[in-house]
Amino acid sequence: MGRAFVYVIIGGGVAAGYAAHEFFKRGVTHGELCIISEEPVAPYERPALSKGYLLPEAPARLPSFHCCVGTNEEKLTPKWYKENGIELILGTRVKSADVRRKTLLTATGETISYKYLIVATGARALKLEEFGVNGLDATNVCYLRDLADADRLANVMQSCGGGNAVVIGGGYIGMECAASLVINKFNVTLVFPEAQCMPRLFTSKIASYYEDFYQSKGVKFIKGTVLTSFDFNSDGQVTAVNLRDGSKLPADMVVIGIGIRPNTSLFEGQLTMEKGGIKVNGQMQSSNASVYAIGDVAAFPVKIVGETRRLEHVDSARKAARHAVAAITEPEKTSDFDYLPFFYSRVFTLSWQFYGDNAGEVVHFGDFAGPTFGAYWVNKGYLVGSFLEGGTKEQYDAIACTTRLKPKIDDVAELERQGLGFALSV
Ligand code: FDA
Ligand code: NAD
């Protein structure tokens, strides 16, 4: 059994949804495009899973957050794909790929061939087992990557009805889930091996603001240690978490956010890899000219930084998706992707945006006792990155534009004195 399409997208996440929308805008013909996704639902805005989805009152549920509501564009429901002749093959894993023959084999035994392939397989959550800790089968240990995980997390929260929650990992998932657990009336302890939360991005000053804020909401932080084992009851549920420092934390539920690995395995040995992902050029094209890669799985040249990087954020997935489709459909008109990295988060009443690169000397500004403050990063005499907490749209736009311009900074003390005013005046 086999079917042939001009364009095939593997993966049905954020990047796939935005790529489908771009194909539609460029007038893809009925029957030309197919999306194959392991998930049983049409592409959706994954960031909702750690925020609106976990609210105790009126939680977000599909179809409200299908792509592309995240950029205030039309909502691509299953009906939209049908009406536009885009084949959605859901609940179906691609088991193997042969880039030489341009074919894919699905877990249901179907062979699908393509002229152009877009790999948008995203990433998987790292599991505790990979660090030698058992507990994957316990019903009250939760991860958060896809809708099934979010459903399970929401159900476990409801069945515990408050109590003690231990969150492992001080990155994005740890911080966002800890906030959601507090809102759901849990006593939350956050455990991570580093000296501060959000070590990949926050300066220690920003981290301390966040940790103080979380502590004011009742969250306890245990830093510089990792979990070594769980205690279980006779039903196989976790009842406590044992840490390397010898302490034991009682737990009604556990949430794990210890990083991700890109889903590259279909292409190992077939495509060139870099930074743990599929290496692509500025057209999002891999080492095989018919195969493109976008989203968390792709390592692409980030021009403004002068390096190939793999970014794990939604804005990058959306924009790379649109770019790849432009490059496939109008290669002669499409210049290389020139992306300004953009990350953000929202927790409790807090929210921040970051643009660029967090390399070099840090210049903090604003009032760290108040709602609005930030930081610039100055590398080799140029402003390369900007962070702002609690900004207005105008202020966020200003730091984005300024970072994009990469202005020369002759006097760091003067930059510090001007603070946010510097970005607003550029
Ligand atoms: P994504 O993970 O969205 O999709 C991959 C798809 O491929 C999935 O549907 C998967 O099932 C499918 N797939 C994988 N292998 C397959 C196979 N062999 N066959 C078929 N299908 C296969 N970012 C941000 O900037 N701000 C934010 O607030 C958040 N919040 C956030 C919350 C949570 C809970 C998560 C998990 C992540 C975020 N992110 C985020 C990160 C952001 O969601 C992420 O960068 C994008 O979803 C990446 O989009 P992709 O399409 O690359 O992967
Ligand atoms: P992460 O890389 O942000 O953080 C992982 C954290 O795990 C580290 O900071 C560390 O504290 C901890 N850790 C690592 N090894 C550990 C161990 N052995 N024991 C205990 N802790 C350990 O990854 P994440 O928080 O799992 O997030 C997963 C993905 O989802 C990332 O790609 C992230 O970008 C994405 N995400 C993004 C957002 C956002 O942009 N707002 C929100 C949620 C998720």
Side-chain angles (χ1 to χ4, degrees):
M1 192 168 64
R3 279 190 280 176
F5 293 88
V6 182
Y7 313 109
V8 173
I9 303 173
I10 315 184
V14 172
Y18 280 76
H21 193 233
E22 191 63 29
F23 272 118
F24 159 76
K25 289 206 292 194
R26 290 170 177 270
V28 72
T29 306
H30 281 229
E32 278 187 336
L33 169 63
C34 146
I35 295 178
I36 312 169
S37 176
E38 198 168 6
E39 289 192 81
V41 294
Y44 58 88
E45 303 283 0
R46 200 163 300 280
L49 299 183
S50 52
K51 305 174 190 73
Y53 207 88
L54 302 180
L55 290 176
E57 302 290 334
R61 289 291 179 266
L62 287 175
S64 74
F65 58 95
H66 278 301
C67 300
C68 303
V69 297
T71 50
N72 299 318
E73 289 166 283
E74 61 191 308
K75 184 162 62 190
L76 316 187
T77 59
K79 189 164 159 253
W80 179 90
Y81 291 92
K82 206 172 168 103
E83 282 171 359
N84 291 295
I86 298 170
E87 184 80 20
L88 264 188
I89 305 178
L90 299 177
T92 304
R93 189 170 57 83
V94 173
K95 218 169 64 173
S96 63
D98 184 334
V99 301
R100 210 171 41 82
R101 292 204 168 88
K102 300 190 181 185
T103 57
L104 307 171
L105 178 65
T106 70
T108 53
E110 189 177 12
T111 301
I112 292 182
S113 58
Y114 60 82
K115 188 163 174 222
Y116 296 99
L117 178 67
I118 299 183
V119 184
T121 46
R124 64 177 178 84
L126 274 174
K127 296 286 154 77
L128 283 174
E129 275 70 0
E130 297 170 59
F131 296 90
V133 179
N134 293 320
L136 203 59
D137 299 337
T139 52
N140 58 344
V141 174
C142 303
Y143 291 83
L144 186 53
R145 181 69 203 180
D146 60 20
L147 197 65
D149 295 336
D151 272 336
R152 178 174 151 135
L153 177 52
N155 288 338
V156 173
M157 282 199 302
Q158 205 177 14
S159 66
C160 294
N164 295 314
V166 177
V167 177
I168 306 292
Y172 288 93
I173 291 286
M175 293 298 279
E176 292 186 7
C177 287
S180 293
L181 285 159
V182 169
I183 294 165
N184 281 277
K185 303 202 171 356
F186 281 83
N187 301 315
V188 179
T189 306
L190 197 52
V191 181
F192 48 84
E194 297 91 352
Q196 61 161 82
C197 68
M198 293 288 290
R200 289 204 289 165
L201 179 66
F202 284 5
T203 65
S204 55
K205 195 170 164 106
I206 298 171
S208 89
Y209 176 91
Y210 263 76
E211 289 171 17
D212 289 350
F213 190 93
Y214 273 58
Q215 277 162 354
S216 76
K217 299 281 178 189
V219 175
K220 289 186 210 72
F221 284 83
I222 301 185
K223 308 183 204 178
T225 189
V226 292
L227 93 168
T228 48
S229 65
F230 290 122
D231 290 354
F232 298 93
N233 64 17
S234 54
D235 296 333
Q237 288 202 315
V238 166
T239 55
V241 169
N242 298 306
L243 304 182
R244 183 180 288 159
D245 67 7
S247 52
K248 185 189 285 296
L249 306 172
D252 296 300
M253 66 178 291
V254 180
V255 179
I256 317 279
I258 53 174
I260 60 170
R261 284 287 175 275
N263 291 319
T264 55
S265 61
L266 292 171
F267 301 97
E268 300 287 350
Q270 300 195 72
L271 301 177
T272 305
M273 301 286 163
E274 192 171 329
K275 307 257 163 93
I278 297 171
K279 181 181 176 163
V280 294
N281 61 20
Q283 304 287 301
M284 313 315 287
Q285 188 177 36
S286 75
S287 54
N288 179 297
S290 306
V291 182
Y292 291 70
I294 53 179
D296 285 6
V297 79
F300 64 94
V302 183
K303 258 191 186 175
I304 194 161
V305 180
E307 256 185 33
T308 292
R309 290 203 178 161
R310 210 176 45 69
L311 301 180
E312 301 174 353
H313 294 274
V314 73
D315 180 67
S316 147
R318 291 168 179 152
K319 291 190 174 138
R322 296 208 182 281
H323 198 86
V325 175
I328 291 170
T329 54
E330 288 190 292
E332 65 296 337
K333 285 198 196 153
T334 306
S335 49
D336 281 351
F337 192 37
D338 185 6
Y339 180 66
L340 175 69
F342 165 47
F343 316 152
Y344 72 90
S345 182
R346 291 189 301 272
V347 285
F348 298 115
T349 50
L350 305 178
S351 75
W352 56 261
Q353 295 193 4
F354 169 83
Y355 294 88
D357 190 21
N358 58 330
E361 185 182 349
V362 182
V363 178
H364 291 104
F365 61 80
D367 178 8
F368 276 71
T372 307
F373 58 83
Y376 296 120
W377 280 260
V378 178
N379 199 17
K380 298 179 184 140
Y382 293 89
L383 188 153
V384 297
S386 307
F387 175 100
L388 182 62
E389 166 65 42
T392 60
K393 183 176 182 311
E394 187 202 5
Q395 291 168 337
Y396 286 131
D397 287 349
I399 63 160
C401 288
T402 304
T403 313
R404 161 62 79 189
L405 291 170
K406 223 175 161 179
K408 189 159 189 336
I409 302 297
D410 295 320
D411 185 348
V412 170
E414 177 57 16
L415 177 67
E416 188 170 15
R417 199 191 56 73
Q418 288 189 26
L420 185 56
F422 177 78
L424 291 167
S425 67
V426 168

